[in-house]
């Protein structure tokens, strides 16, 4: 039991952390482990592994992810900026190395083989990128002589260039969308909106022309022709689940889904636990975004306001993309569902994002009112607490 009077790192953290955010993130962490029992055994059996191979690995990554989230949540806003700068520099360097020495999977070089873990540096780049861009936009507002907006634009171009080179168009859209949201919240003019919108449209067209797999996915989405096995099977699983689902372990369509434990975990959830459970999961993601924006809008510090908004926007966009693909509302793309889908790099990177959000939204001792401090001194004098 921690006391409000006896100050310490853990005590300050416990009394200052946003309990709603903490509960939401822990619910997703535990929910992802529970869902892995349903989604991953068929995949493991299909590729010749023992049934609970991915379940065990998911559980192994769960513990360090929780520790990473807790460790990041202890940081001060300055500590968040410093940690983000280190993570960003390291992840960008590793993304360059991955292009030359990385493991090639399905025609893309996004991973670095570290033995027991295939590290995907771009996953860690995302939260760090958002925090550093938020800092640059904030500095531009504080001091006009600092070209923070220009530096943020250069950073976006570097990140996008590395992602396109892998290629990873899904992450490119996600990073560009989060950056655009940050720039909008930082107060860009309508001229910038028009210019950036035009650049985005041109970029989408060039991606369609330059990358055959992108054109193929878009064509399949628009016409319904070609190899649509995964998306059609996911839709069948969702429809078969109905309102309440078939029950834990009773799903059958999931056994035909090649990526049921990663990109299409949401479809497995729908088949076994029903649309109502899927709606509750979507509500948790929506709650995180809405609460993040509500907390951000009352922040006095510009950096805190932008960083919190950008991180929850990144979290929400990734969730929307994954669920939209499962529901055939978007062309198929490899995008994990935060904390739910299997994937060590994804879980650890999302834990960094969650930890940053908890750190930036914490109520801190130095921010307490004068009345609170006087009241605590009175309690100490009388031995209360």
């Amino acid at each position: 039991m921690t006391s409000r009077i006896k100050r310490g790192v853990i005590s300050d953290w416990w009394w200052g952390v946003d309990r709603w955010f903490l509960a939401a993130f822990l619910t997703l962490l535990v929910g992802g482990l529970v869902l892995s029992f349903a989604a991953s055994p068929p995949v493991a059996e299909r590729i010749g592994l023992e049934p609970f191979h991915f379940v065990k690995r998911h559980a192994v990554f769960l513990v360090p992810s929780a520790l990473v989230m807790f460790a990041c949540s202890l940081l001060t806003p300055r500590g968040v900026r410093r940690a983000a700068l280190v993570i960003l520099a390291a992840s960008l360097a590793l993304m360059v190395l991955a292009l030359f020495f990385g493991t090639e999977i399905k025609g893309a070089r996004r991973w670095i083989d570290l033995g027991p873990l295939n590290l995907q540096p771009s996953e860690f780049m995302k939260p760090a990128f958002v925090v550093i861009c938020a800092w640059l936009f904030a500095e531009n507002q504080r001091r006009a002589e600092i070209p923070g907006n220009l530096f943020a634009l250069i950073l976006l171009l570097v990140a996008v260039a590395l992602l396109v080179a892998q290629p990873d168009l899904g992450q490119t859209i996600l990073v560009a969308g989060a950056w655009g949201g940050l720039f909008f919240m930082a107060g860009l003019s309508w001229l910038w909106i028009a210019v950036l919108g035009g650049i985005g449209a041109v970029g989408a067209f060039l991606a369609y022309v330059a990358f055959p797999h992108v054109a193929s996915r878009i064509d399949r989405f628009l016409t319904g022709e070609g190899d649509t096995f995964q998306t059609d099977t996911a839709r069948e699983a969702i429809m078969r689940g109905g309102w309440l689902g078939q029950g834990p372990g009773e799903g059958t369509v999931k056994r035909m889904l090649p990526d049921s434990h990663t990109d299409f975990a949401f479809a497995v959830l729908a088949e076994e636990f029903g649309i109502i459970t899927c709606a509750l999961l979507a509500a948790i993601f929506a709650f995180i975004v809405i609460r993040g924006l509500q907390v951000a809008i009352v922040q006095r510090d510009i950096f805190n306001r932008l960083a919190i908004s950008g991180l929850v926007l990144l979290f929400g966009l990734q969730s929307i993309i994954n669920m939209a693909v499962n529901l055939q509302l978007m062309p198929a793309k490899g995008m994990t569902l935060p904390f739910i889908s299997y994937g060590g790099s994804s879980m650890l990177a999302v834990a960094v994002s969650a930890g940053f959000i908890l750190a930036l939204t914490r109520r801190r001792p130095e921010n307490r009112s004068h009345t609170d401090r006087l009241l605590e001194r009175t309690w100490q004098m009388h031995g209360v607490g």
Side-chain angles (χ1 to χ4, degrees):
M1 194 76 178
T2 59
S3 169
R4 288 181 181 268
I5 304 301
K6 297 177 181 178
R7 313 310 303 189
V9 175
I10 303 301
S11 178
D12 287 344
W13 177 86
W14 176 248
W15 293 112
V17 72
D18 190 301
R19 309 284 178 82
W20 290 104
F21 271 134
L22 183 62
F25 291 137
L26 291 178
T27 299
L28 291 177
L29 268 171
V30 174
L33 179 62
V34 172
L35 183 59
S36 70
F37 281 92
S40 60
V43 180
E45 292 176 349
R46 190 162 50 242
I47 61 178
L49 300 173
E50 61 100 5
F52 293 103
H53 172 80
F54 292 113
V55 176
K56 293 175 182 177
R57 287 180 63 85
H58 194 111
V60 166
F61 286 119
L62 183 68
V63 175
S65 295
L67 292 176
V68 165
M69 182 172 70
F70 173 68
C72 289
S73 72
L74 293 173
L75 296 172
T76 62
R78 177 178 292 180
V80 169
R81 289 197 297 270
R82 290 175 175 175
L85 184 60
V86 172
I87 294 172
L88 181 63
S91 58
L92 289 176
L94 290 173
M95 287 172 69
V96 173
L97 288 177
L99 295 176
F100 299 97
F101 307 106
T103 304
E104 184 173 339
I105 301 176
K106 297 180 180 179
R109 289 187 178 272
R110 307 170 189 169
W111 298 268
I112 294 178
D113 188 0
L114 298 179
L117 172 66
N118 265 344
L119 183 71
Q120 188 173 354
S122 60
E123 291 285 354
F124 296 90
M125 179 271 294
K126 293 184 296 185
F129 171 85
V130 166
V131 169
I132 296 303
C133 284
W135 174 65
L136 290 171
F137 287 138
E139 287 301 303
N140 191 87
Q141 289 192 27
R142 289 193 185 104
R143 293 178 286 180
E145 68 273 14
I146 296 180
N149 290 359
L150 176 61
F151 290 150
L153 178 59
I154 293 172
L155 186 57
L156 171 68
L157 295 176
V158 171
V160 167
L162 290 174
L163 288 170
V164 171
Q166 290 182 346
D168 192 341
L169 275 299
Q171 299 281 28
T172 303
I173 294 172
L174 179 60
V175 167
W179 186 91
L182 268 177
F183 201 2
F184 179 81
M185 288 181 282
L188 80 166
S189 67
W190 286 104
L191 176 61
W192 270 106
I193 293 176
V195 170
L196 293 175
I199 293 173
V202 171
F205 175 75
L206 292 176
Y208 180 86
V209 173
F211 297 100
H213 72 282
V214 173
S216 175
R217 289 181 178 182
I218 294 175
D219 290 342
R220 289 200 302 266
F221 174 74
L222 294 175
T223 64
E225 299 176 355
D227 183 10
T228 58
F229 175 77
Q230 283 226 88
T231 53
D232 289 343
T233 307
R235 180 183 61 182
E236 184 182 349
I238 293 170
M239 294 177 64
R240 190 174 184 276
W243 289 104
L244 301 176
Q246 298 295 310
E250 298 299 320
T252 56
V253 179
K254 68 177 185 180
R255 300 182 180 279
M256 298 181 287
L257 266 172
D259 297 322
S260 62
H261 61 319
T262 53
D263 301 347
F264 291 93
F266 188 77
V268 177
L269 180 69
E271 183 180 17
E272 299 211 343
F273 298 95
I275 295 298
I276 292 178
T277 304
C278 288
L280 291 174
L281 178 64
I284 294 174
F285 288 120
F287 169 79
I288 290 171
V289 175
I290 293 170
R291 181 164 183 80
L293 295 176
Q294 287 177 333
V295 172
I297 202 171
V298 298
Q299 297 287 317
R300 287 179 295 179
D301 185 80
I302 301 173
F303 164 71
N304 279 16
R305 188 186 313 144
L306 291 176
I308 295 169
S309 301
L311 287 167
V312 297
L313 178 62
L314 181 74
F315 198 88
L317 283 175
Q318 183 167 336
S319 307
I320 289 172
I321 291 173
N322 178 278
M323 291 185 286
V325 168
N326 278 255
L327 295 168
Q328 286 192 326
L329 298 177
M330 289 182 64
K333 53 177 54 66
M335 189 77 67
T336 57
L337 192 58
F339 281 145
I340 300 297
S341 299
Y342 168 80
S345 292
S346 175
M347 286 183 64
L348 291 170
V350 174
V352 171
S353 292
F356 284 170
I357 292 171
L358 291 171
L360 293 168
T361 57
R362 273 174 51 207
R363 298 181 300 279
R364 303 179 189 283
E366 61 269 22
N367 294 332
R368 290 175 294 156
S369 69
H370 181 63
T371 303
D372 289 339
R373 290 193 290 271
L374 286 176
L375 186 59
E376 287 188 3
R377 290 196 191 102
T378 303
W379 287 343
Q380 287 176 327
M381 290 173 58
H382 292 85
V384 179

